Structures are given as structure tokens and as C-alpha cells.
Amino acid sequence: MFTTLLCLLTTFLPAAQKDSSSLLWKISGHGLSKPSYLFGTIHMLCTDDLPFSVAIGKTMKETKAFYMEFNMDDTEAMTRIAGEMMMPEGYSFKALLSPEDYTILSDYFRDSIGTSLQLLDKMKPMLIMSILMEKTATCPNPVSCENMLLLLAKDQGLTIHGLENAEDQIAIFDSIPDKEEAESLVKQVKDMAASRTEYQQLLDAYYKADLNQLLGLILQEEDVVRYKKLMLDDRNNNWIPVITKQIQQTPAFFAFGAGHLAGKGGVIALLRKAGYKVEPVAL
């Protein structure tokens, strides 16, 4: 389901065993005077205590810049894209779904989220996915891993950047048919218990920093397989020039979905192919 893509994007080529036991990686070699770091995130955590915070804080102190998938601290950009969060004229959840499925989704939003779907009817499915993502967590008040990292980076005085623009992420989901996204939302709501079980399994594997287990948990997702190139491969390749340019100037800490780390098309392998040494850091 598409919420899995949001929670933890991952590649579909088996990771080597040595690359399966850490979420924190050091980049060195290839002329670097100081190392930079990669950290794999998962978007929702069931604790307000960032896992591995001691190791993360220590490595951040060695860097000058903090990179997220996109700069969530850029309020100007967030304002700029507000209009792009709405479906184009003629589109709405009511238009995309059968009357029966619309009622199922509408009832869930009324009973479980406490809002009317009619108020959100023109918003793009990706926004509704982000709301439902919180409901897949098995705790009452899930928190954002990215937000916690952003606060930690700001506390340490790092400059904040994005590997891509917010518009780039919107364009990715715009490439996926709205009807398909909307139907995926209904599927999740129809079996929320299964969605929560799947998410908890992902979270357990994440806390163990087991990339291979994370990979195995989502290989059965048809949506993930179908949009692997769009969601993973293309973005990984686009990020490498951004990463290499930055680390040749000043050391940086890069945080993005853990699924982008592994596999022959993952960021670790692509940086090694570019001549850098990338090795796991114990957490």
C-alpha cells in the first residue's frame, strides 16, 4: 500500500549482510578531509525519544550541514506549494471512488479522526495518506522521526537543506493515478488492523536496524514493486550529485527514508561506485 511507501521506502535488490545491521553510515575517502554521515529514517515513531540519539548527536557534531529529503524548515516553500496540494478541477474523492467506498472512507474519517471527509474532498490523496499514516501506528501519539532530527540539527546550529524540493515530492505522487491512490486508502481503512500489524513489524525491524528484514517485509507489496523506479531508483540517482557536491565542501549529515540505503541501486552502493568508502557506524 502507498502508506508503506511513505513510511519506509526500500530497494528490491538484496543487501549484503554487512549492510544490513546499521542505520547510520560514515562516508570517507575519495579526497575527503572529514567524514559525512547517512542516517535511515522511518517517518512515524511510537516514542518521543529518538532512537540512537546519542550516536546521532555525536556524529552531527562532526558536521556543518543537515539534509532531509526536502527542507521541512523552509516555510516559504511550504507556502508556495500549498495550492499544489489540491486536486485539479473535476477531481475529488467522491468522483474517484464508488459510492460504497466513499461512504467507508467518509465514515472512518468521521468516527476515527473526528473530521468530515467532505472538508478534505478536494485534497490530493497523498495528504490524506499522511493523516492515515498516524492511525497505522500502534501508539496513541506517534511522532515524526524527521521532525526530531530537524530539531536536533537546529539545536546544534547546522544549516538546513533538502536533497530535493518539496515540489519534487509532489510531482512523484502526481505521477501515480489519483484513483489508484484513493482506492489504496480505502483498502487500508477496510483492514486497519492488518495495516497496524504490518507497520509494527516494520518498526520492530527498524529498531533492530535490520535492512534485510525490512526488505522482506515489503517485498509482497504490489504498489511498491510497481513504482520502485519512480519512488526509489530515480531519486537515489538524483541525490548522489547533491550529496557528493556537499561533502566535498563541508561535512554533512543526511537523513532520509531507510529504504533508500540498501541494494545495488541504493545510496550506499552508489556512493561506493563513485569512489567513496561507506561503512556502518555502531548504534
Side-chain angles (χ1 to χ4, degrees):
M1 61 186 64
F2 289 110
T3 48
T4 301
L5 287 170
L6 286 170
C7 288
L8 184 67
L9 300 180
T10 194
T11 53
F12 298 98
L13 293 170
Q17 186 61 41
K18 65 180 180 180
D19 287 352
S20 68
S21 59
S22 186
L23 297 171
L24 182 62
W25 296 79
K26 182 172 74 171
I27 311 168
S28 60
H30 204 51
L32 297 183
S33 58
K34 295 181 179 180
S36 289
Y37 296 88
L38 309 172
F39 182 75
T41 66
I42 188 169
H43 295 310
M44 287 291 171
L45 294 170
C46 283
T47 174
D48 58 5
D49 179 25
L50 180 64
F52 328 122
S53 57
V54 174
I56 291 171
K58 181 180 178 181
T59 53
M60 274 190 178
K61 288 179 180 178
E62 300 178 26
T63 65
K64 301 294 184 181
F66 175 72
Y67 277 75
M68 316 175 72
E69 292 186 17
F70 69 92
N71 187 351
M72 296 168 54
D73 197 45
D74 187 345
T75 54
E76 181 179 333
M78 297 299 102
T79 302
R80 188 174 65 246
I81 66 172
E84 299 183 36
M85 300 297 185
M86 307 301 290
M87 288 194 228
E89 190 65 32
Y91 281 77
S92 67
F93 279 105
K94 185 167 286 188
L96 292 170
L97 297 172
S98 69
E100 178 185 3
D101 283 347
Y102 183 83
T103 298
I104 290 172
L105 196 60
S106 179
D107 288 350
Y108 182 84
F109 267 76
R110 182 194 64 217
D111 299 337
S112 299
I113 298 180
T115 190
S116 170
L117 183 60
Q118 187 174 359
L119 298 175
L120 309 174
D121 197 43
K122 293 287 293 180
M123 290 186 177
K124 289 183 177 179
M126 64 177 291
L127 289 181
I128 309 302
M129 289 177 203
S130 66
I131 296 173
L132 286 183
M133 190 192 306
E134 295 189 18
K135 293 298 179 179
T136 62
T138 54
C139 52
N141 297 301
V143 293
S144 166
C145 180
E146 286 87 353
N147 281 338
M148 289 189 287
L149 287 167
L150 175 60
L151 290 174
L152 184 58
K154 291 174 72 173
D155 285 344
Q156 298 206 24
L158 305 186
T159 57
I160 312 299
H161 309 272
L163 287 165
E164 57 196 13
N165 297 322
E167 290 91 341
D168 296 329
Q169 289 212 349
I170 292 175
I172 290 170
F173 283 92
D174 282 349
S175 300
I176 301 171
D178 288 333
K179 183 174 179 61
E180 191 171 339
E181 292 179 336
E183 290 174 347
S184 180
L185 291 174
V186 174
K187 179 181 177 182
Q188 179 183 353
V189 166
K190 284 181 176 179
D191 199 352
M192 185 58 72
S195 298
R196 287 172 177 156
T197 297
E198 291 170 4
Y199 186 79
Q200 187 58 50
Q201 291 172 337
L202 286 173
L203 194 59
D204 291 342
Y206 181 79
Y207 281 130
K208 291 190 294 185
D210 190 332
L211 300 184
N212 282 336
Q213 185 178 1
L214 289 170
L215 174 66
L217 287 171
I218 70 169
L219 275 175
Q220 299 176 2
E221 296 286 352
E222 294 181 4
D223 296 335
V224 179
V225 176
R226 188 159 58 251
Y227 294 105
K228 172 182 178 290
K229 182 177 185 299
L230 176 68
M231 301 294 294
L232 288 166
D233 298 342
D234 291 347
R235 296 172 74 202
N236 292 345
N237 281 289
N238 290 340
W239 292 351
I240 295 303
V242 180
I243 294 172
T244 55
K245 180 180 179 180
Q246 173 62 51
I247 63 179
Q248 288 292 341
Q249 296 173 348
T250 55
F253 188 102
F254 301 89
F256 46 78
H260 290 280
L261 289 172
K264 292 182 179 179
V267 172
I268 291 171
L270 292 176
L271 285 173
R272 287 172 174 167
K273 184 177 180 180
Y276 293 93
K277 182 178 181 180
V278 187
E279 53 191 336
V281 178
L283 294 170

